[in-house]
Amino acid sequence: MPSGSPRPKTSAGGVEIELVFVEPLPHAYECPVCQQALRYPVQFDKCAHHCCSNCLPQLIKEHGAKCPVDGKPIDRDQVYVDKNLQKTIQQLQVKCTFHENGCKWTGQLKEVPSHIPECENADMVCSKGCGVIYQRKDHEKHSVEDCLKRVVICEHCEKEIKKHYLDSHYKACPRFPLTAVEDRQLPAKVQRGQSRACLYGDGKVRGKHMSLFVGLLKGDYDVLLSWPFSHRVTFTLLDQCQDPAGRHNITYTVKPNTTKENRPFLGRPTSERNASFGAQKFCELGLLEKLDYVRDDVMFIKVQVDTEDMTPL
Ligand SMILES: [Zn+2]
Ligand SMILES: [Zn+2]
Ligand SMILES: [Zn+2]
Ligand SMILES: [Zn+2]
Ligand SMILES: [Zn+2]
């Protein structure tokens, strides 16, 4: 067989599968119409050449009912099904259609249809419609770990969600938690704090604004510090524009209002963490899509506490 020619194919169960013969296919077993191994060959009366049963109508219609090998006329009624040749071809040794995937199977051509359904290296198209083709041996791994259309459970609301919708589900998930984006300790021997961002907005600004908060944490020096917490907190969302001159950072400063009502936020922590305070309307969500605040799904938020008016310990 000349290199580069298409491999002979046969049809099993309606699917075109590739045939790779162990020995080169003898020319006499090749159909002169489709150039593939003869399938249910018929023999012409006058010249004894063959073609596939399926190729005969095309030969009559498009080739003027002449043998493509020697041009002798073919009489439609003078062709015979060559059962012996069919049998001989069906017994030729072939490699597995998926030998390039690593299958070592060889066998008679007629055994291919029963091998393919159990071949571990056969290509499978994911039945959930994710578009991925994998080998049969990887079926379990694909369906459980890799398939984007597999169903997973949202860890927040416990609803079943297709894996590839999970990210968009999170935006609407009623139980999606506020995301802790930074856990920064304030300068030593001052109040400890934890900051968090609520990317899709908190409370009544949900879906409109991004909210940023800090919460005071219980610390070792709390007894020495002055309460309530009264230092200005500045949140900065960094513009990741490549050109430093073109950056437009967004800043927002919160000056704590040390009223009695705000004691749960600003008072000395009695539990592990106080209720959070900060910028509920830090910025409009639409703004995040402009400029370069989000790059590769990452944003940088700086939280600064004004230490100027702190009394050193
Ligand atoms: Zn043919
Ligand atoms: Zn002929
Ligand atoms: Zn195989
Ligand atoms: Zn899949
Ligand atoms: Zn959910």
Side-chain angles (χ1 to χ4, degrees):
M1 205 177 358
S3 66
S5 66
R7 289 206 179 97
K9 288 191 173 179
T10 194
S11 146
V15 187
E16 283 292 311
I17 57 170
E18 219 170 3
L19 289 181
V20 184
F21 291 90
V22 173
E23 302 290 335
L25 185 68
H27 199 62
Y29 298 166
E30 202 176 277
C31 168
V33 179
C34 65
Q35 266 87 48
Q36 295 171 11
L38 286 160
R39 287 178 279 187
Y40 304 102
V42 289
Q43 190 168 31
F44 314 139
D45 175 48
K46 294 226 164 49
C47 60
H49 287 119
H50 295 86
C51 78
C52 316
S53 310
N54 277 343
C55 292
L56 186 63
Q58 192 193 339
L59 191 59
I60 307 260
K61 226 163 76 192
E62 290 167 24
H63 298 260
K66 283 187 188 126
C67 170
V69 182
D70 52 30
K72 291 196 175 150
I74 298 163
D75 182 343
R76 209 185 178 138
D77 302 322
Q78 302 291 311
V79 296
Y80 305 95
V81 176
D82 192 338
K83 282 189 181 153
N84 286 335
L85 184 56
Q86 165 72 0
K87 210 172 153 193
T88 308
I89 292 174
Q90 285 297 310
Q91 285 168 347
L92 292 173
Q93 290 286 310
V94 290
K95 293 183 187 179
C96 172
T97 310
F98 301 102
H99 73 285
E100 281 176 352
N101 286 355
C103 181
K104 299 274 181 275
W105 181 90
T106 60
Q108 294 186 1
L109 176 53
K110 66 176 177 204
E111 295 164 344
V112 172
S114 54
H115 168 67
I116 299 300
E118 52 195 36
C119 174
E120 285 294 291
N121 298 99
D123 286 335
M124 315 259 299
V125 179
C126 175
S127 61
K128 295 199 180 79
C130 74
V132 167
I133 295 173
Y134 52 84
Q135 294 185 23
R136 182 175 277 112
K137 66 182 170 60
D138 299 325
H139 176 72
E140 187 71 16
K141 184 178 178 292
H142 177 79
S143 355
V144 179
E145 294 173 31
D146 301 334
C147 183
L148 288 178
K149 294 217 169 166
R150 73 189 190 277
V151 168
V152 293
I153 309 274
C154 168
E155 67 265 43
H156 310 302
C157 70
E158 289 170 9
K159 244 201 200 150
E160 290 191 346
I161 311 288
K162 282 187 179 160
K163 172 68 180 159
H164 81 138
Y165 289 132
L166 196 58
D167 281 344
S168 40
H169 166 76
Y170 282 159
K171 294 179 190 174
C173 174
R175 296 266 174 88
F176 194 81
L178 306 174
T179 321
V181 287
E182 204 177 335
D183 189 355
R184 144 176 312 207
Q185 222 165 323
L186 300 181
K189 296 186 187 172
V190 299
Q191 283 93 340
R192 289 174 69 223
Q194 188 183 46
S195 48
R196 64 196 178 110
C198 187
L199 301 184
Y200 302 103
D202 184 58
K204 56 183 184 296
V205 305
R206 191 168 185 89
K208 294 184 192 126
H209 289 81
M210 176 169 84
S211 314
L212 293 175
F213 301 99
V214 286
L216 297 173
L217 301 172
K218 211 181 229 176
D220 293 340
Y221 302 98
D222 287 353
V223 66
L224 304 171
L225 301 166
S226 55
W227 300 98
F229 178 90
S230 59
H231 312 292
R232 275 195 301 272
V233 178
T234 302
F235 299 98
T236 307
L237 174 61
L238 302 178
D239 183 351
Q240 300 177 58
C241 175
Q242 305 280 353
D243 173 16
R247 289 179 189 161
H248 295 86
N249 295 339
I250 304 176
T251 56
Y252 193 113
T253 299
V254 180
K255 170 82 181 113
N257 182 5
T258 55
T259 57
K260 201 175 168 189
E261 294 73 51
N262 283 342
R263 200 172 284 168
F265 307 97
L266 305 172
R268 183 178 161 190
T270 51
S271 62
E272 229 11 73
R273 201 185 86 181
N274 273 0
S276 313
F277 66 96
Q280 194 182 35
K281 292 185 179 181
F282 175 76
C283 74
E284 281 181 35
L285 283 182
L287 204 57
L288 294 181
E289 280 150 34
K290 293 171 198 153
L291 303 177
D292 280 314
Y293 298 116
V294 184
R295 239 178 212 267
D296 300 329
D297 286 338
V298 174
M299 56 179 147
F300 292 99
I301 297 161
K302 194 163 85 175
V303 182
Q304 285 169 295
V305 176
D306 201 340
T307 51
E308 266 174 23
D309 51 348
M310 279 185 191
T311 37
L313 292 173

